[in-house]
Amino acid sequence: MAEATSGRSEEEFQDLLRRLELALEASQIGVWQHNVNDQELLWDPQMHRLYGTGRRSARVASDVWMNALHPEDLDRAISDFQIALEGKGFYNSQFRIILPSGEVRHLRSRAHYYEDADGSPSFIGAEWDVTADVLLNRELASQKAIAEARAIALEQSRTRIEHAADHDYLTGLPNRRYFDRRLAELRRDTSVETVGVVHIDLDGFKEINDKWGHAAGDATLQSAAARISGAITANDVVARIGGDEFVAALVNVGNAEKLEAIANDIFSRLRREVRFGNEMLRIGASIGVALSQTGSAGNLLAESDVALFQAKKLGRNRVEFFTPKLQADLQAERRLADELRLAPMLRQIEPFYQIQVDAHTRCIVGLEALARWRHPERGLLNPAAFLKVADEYGLTAEIDAAVLKCALADRAAWMSQGLSPPRIAVNISGRRLADPDLIEGLQALRIPRQAIAFELVETIFLDDPDARVLANIAGIKEMGIDIEIDDFGSGHASLLGLVRLKPKRLKIDRQLVTAVTMSDEQRRLVGSIVEIARALNVEVVAEGVETEDHARVLAEVGCDELQGYAIGYPSSESEIAALLKSVRATRRRRSPRAPAGAGAGATGSARRRSERN
Ligand code: C2E
Ligand code: MG
Ligand code: MG
């Protein structure tokens, strides 16, 4: 019975062993045994296959294993084994081996400590190939690292994009978007009591760009950014909001005096020269300042802009504070500018004419066309009421053009009535004179030769003339239009301009003319202007001739022509038509064959019919 049982057990044991071998073979797990005192290993065939030994003997010297180990893993694998041995416990390790073919294989090894029948320490363990797992894990890890690196790069570029969207690339300062957001935050922030805004526009920046190139312009902007930043605290913010425009918001700045001190500091910092290579560049700044005491930063930017506008208007290079009156004035001015912009199109701009006479014969030799604005509500306006605004808003060129067109139409109408209008002088602004399309526009008007003269109002720029202006002046002369210098001696027109320009005539300024009867000195002054003009072959017109005394003295010192209230007031088209008719009648009465314009004094009649301004 016992034998039968043990026989069955033996059979069962054999069966179990076979199944175990099959399972091991299928799993490709190698089994090993190690008697530590023997320095010998027992390997099953699968172990030999794992190590690629090509041998089959079960006994293997322990240095076969050690020699197969990857040198980088050797120490760790041995130390793992030592630890298990000392602890008489579980051995668990993973290492690389190098096969005789040179192939590297990753093995996982696990073993159990036990003591042999003779008590010597031993391990029995299993080992299997985990190369595929390791490679897969490594691949996964590298994919993960790539994914993480991508995520970091993405995050970095997102912050970069966000920064770029909020900042100016050149100076690194925040931009308008950021600044608006910050102002909105300040408005909500209850801990903020006062906010000051300093609005800065660099003066002379365009000139630096034009003269020294863009690199110099960039350097100037960068230096301005650094200087403004240097004048404010870390709580404040400064932004670049336009080409050469900066704005700073000062948080809890206190009162107007403190704000003004900071604005002045920024102003003087900006006025210091900027080094560019070997050059020292000079700029200035117009600054507008606004302060909110209540903590509401609502209109501050608009208000500082109004103040800035005022600073520019007052001649730039200065600091101006916002006031409600400033705003009201500006609004009124803007309304006027809006109306004025439409005025030429609505035919509200028309010329009045003031006659010019020969200083000796008093015959009419010319008319000056003077702009008037027939305003629908305010009536007839003189240039004093609108020219300044026109100039500030860049509308003078349109007004000049409208006056010229009307003058040509009036002239044509007078001719068609059989009248002989003299040459008509129209005023031309510097802006129009610099217009690249000027000559083309004039050609389209088919202006008869010698019919028109242009009075240059601002001639100061002729000291440093623009090539385009000079080309336009040459073009104008070629078209048979005389060039005259207006207000000579007023400071606007210079002698240098006179020599450069070679005008047909110059008009002595009213102020010199009125003084001519007061002192010999003044008379000599006008006399020497006449002499210079003579030397340059330039005719002289005296304007602002208010009395008969003036007229006499001016004729004596050699002026060729006279214009002024003593001769005639600026008059409407119809009044001039009537005057020209009476001249014609007088001429016919005196001598039917007399040349046009000759022999007809104009003094009395023009004065009676004219506007008094
Ligand atoms: P201006 O060209 O020097 O014109 C002479 C100005 O002096 C005119 O003023 C005229 O009415 C005034 N005037 C004439 N005789 C006398 C006088 O005896 N005494 C005094 N006190 N004044 C006299 P107005 O028409 O008000 O024009 C003022 C200025 O406006 C002109 O000075 C001219 O610079 C400018 N202007 C007039 N029309 C135009 C225009 O169509 N275009 C441009 N750009 N400027 C114009
Ligand atoms: Mg004039
Ligand atoms: Mg004048």
Side-chain angles (χ1 to χ4, degrees), residues 368 370 427 455 486 507 543:
E368 179 176 7
L370 295 159
N427 293 280
E455 291 188 11
D486 206 353
K507 298 183 74 178
E543 64 177 351

Side-chain angles (χ1 to χ4, degrees), residues 20 45 60 186 229 297 354 518 583:
L20 189 63
V60 177
L186 292 176
S229 302
Q354 189 176 29
M518 289 182 202
V583 168

Side-chain angles (χ1 to χ4, degrees), residues 354 368-372 382-384 387 396 399-400 403 426-429 455 457-458 486-487 507 509-510 543-546 563-566 568 570 611 613:
Q354 189 176 29
E368 179 176 7
L370 295 159
R372 296 293 179 266
N382 282 344
L387 260 194
T396 32
I399 293 172
D400 290 356
V403 168
V426 298
N427 293 280
I428 182 167
S429 61
E455 291 188 11
V457 196
E458 309 137 44
D486 206 353
D487 302 341
K507 298 183 74 178
D509 190 63
R510 192 163 69 219
E543 64 177 351
V545 180
E546 288 184 346
Q563 176 185 349
Y565 295 160
E611 149 201 273
N613 38 354

Side-chain angles (χ1 to χ4, degrees), residues 81 140 214 281 288 297 344-345 374 428 490 502 520 532 552:
F81 188 77
L140 285 175
H214 284 279
L281 309 178
M345 226 164 44
R374 212 169 272 284
I428 182 167
S490 67
K502 300 193 183 62
D520 281 349
I532 292 169
R552 187 179 44 75

Side-chain angles (χ1 to χ4, degrees), residues 136-409:
L136 183 66
N137 279 340
R138 193 178 289 164
E139 175 66 15
L140 285 175
S142 100
Q143 291 294 349
K144 187 167 165 247
I146 290 173
E148 277 169 3
R150 278 209 189 117
I152 290 170
L154 220 66
E155 176 62 19
Q156 281 170 344
S157 68
R158 195 184 60 79
T159 25
R160 255 203 314 275
I161 288 167
E162 235 167 51
H163 188 269
D166 273 351
H167 288 77
D168 157 45
Y169 75 96
L170 181 65
T171 59
L173 289 185
N175 59 18
R176 174 68 187 263
R177 199 174 99 115
Y178 182 100
F179 189 81
D180 285 345
R181 215 169 49 224
R182 182 80 187 109
L183 268 195
E185 279 168 17
L186 292 176
R187 220 174 293 147
R188 286 192 299 269
D189 189 340
T190 47
S191 70
V192 173
E193 286 172 4
T194 51
V195 179
V197 167
V198 180
H199 208 134
I200 303 144
D201 191 290
L202 301 186
D203 294 327
F205 174 71
K206 189 178 171 297
E207 288 70 14
I208 286 182
N209 240 347
D210 289 350
K211 189 166 175 192
W212 302 103
H214 284 279
D218 288 355
T220 307
L221 291 172
Q222 283 163 339
S223 136
R227 289 178 186 185
I228 300 167
S229 302
I232 62 174
T233 72
N235 266 342
D236 308 330
V237 57
V238 55
R240 180 176 170 219
I241 62 168
D244 60 351
E245 210 177 322
F246 298 85
V247 65
L250 310 168
V251 184
N252 285 333
V253 63
N255 54 32
E257 288 70 42
K258 287 187 185 143
L259 179 57
E260 189 176 7
I262 297 173
N264 284 333
D265 182 30
I266 292 176
F267 179 72
S268 52
R269 281 171 191 244
L270 288 175
R271 281 170 64 94
R272 266 176 238 143
E273 290 177 323
V274 177
R275 177 176 284 286
F276 177 69
N278 291 329
E279 302 299 332
M280 294 305 280
L281 309 178
R282 199 172 266 287
I283 53 161
S286 297
I287 296 183
V289 186
L291 174 67
S292 128
Q293 303 269 17
T294 56
S296 83
N299 297 320
L300 273 180
L301 196 57
E303 290 178 359
S304 66
D305 197 27
V306 168
L308 174 62
F309 191 82
Q310 178 72 358
K312 289 191 204 168
K313 203 159 122 182
L314 294 180
R316 298 180 170 270
N317 253 313
R318 56 196 295 137
V319 178
E320 283 297 315
F321 251 82
F322 171 82
T323 64
K325 179 173 182 309
L326 211 57
Q327 176 133 11
D329 290 352
L330 185 67
Q331 272 165 359
E333 202 182 276
R334 289 203 172 134
R335 255 198 314 278
L336 191 73
D338 286 344
E339 290 176 348
L340 187 55
R341 192 168 285 120
L342 297 176
M345 226 164 44
L346 298 173
R347 297 175 187 278
Q348 291 170 356
I349 301 294
E350 62 181 74
F352 264 42
Y353 299 94
Q354 189 176 29
I355 58 169
Q356 299 167 327
V357 297
D358 182 292
H360 303 286
T361 66
R362 300 290 177 93
C363 287
I364 299 174
V365 286
L367 297 170
E368 179 176 7
L370 295 159
R372 296 293 179 266
W373 181 5
R374 212 169 272 284
H375 192 280
E377 285 131 36
R378 295 166 60 192
L380 195 69
L381 299 180
N382 282 344
F386 61 88
L387 260 194
K388 217 170 120 247
V389 168
D391 198 37
E392 267 164 28
Y393 290 79
L395 304 171
T396 32
E398 282 78 6
I399 293 172
D400 290 356
V403 168
L404 174 62
K405 247 191 183 153
C406 283
L408 287 169

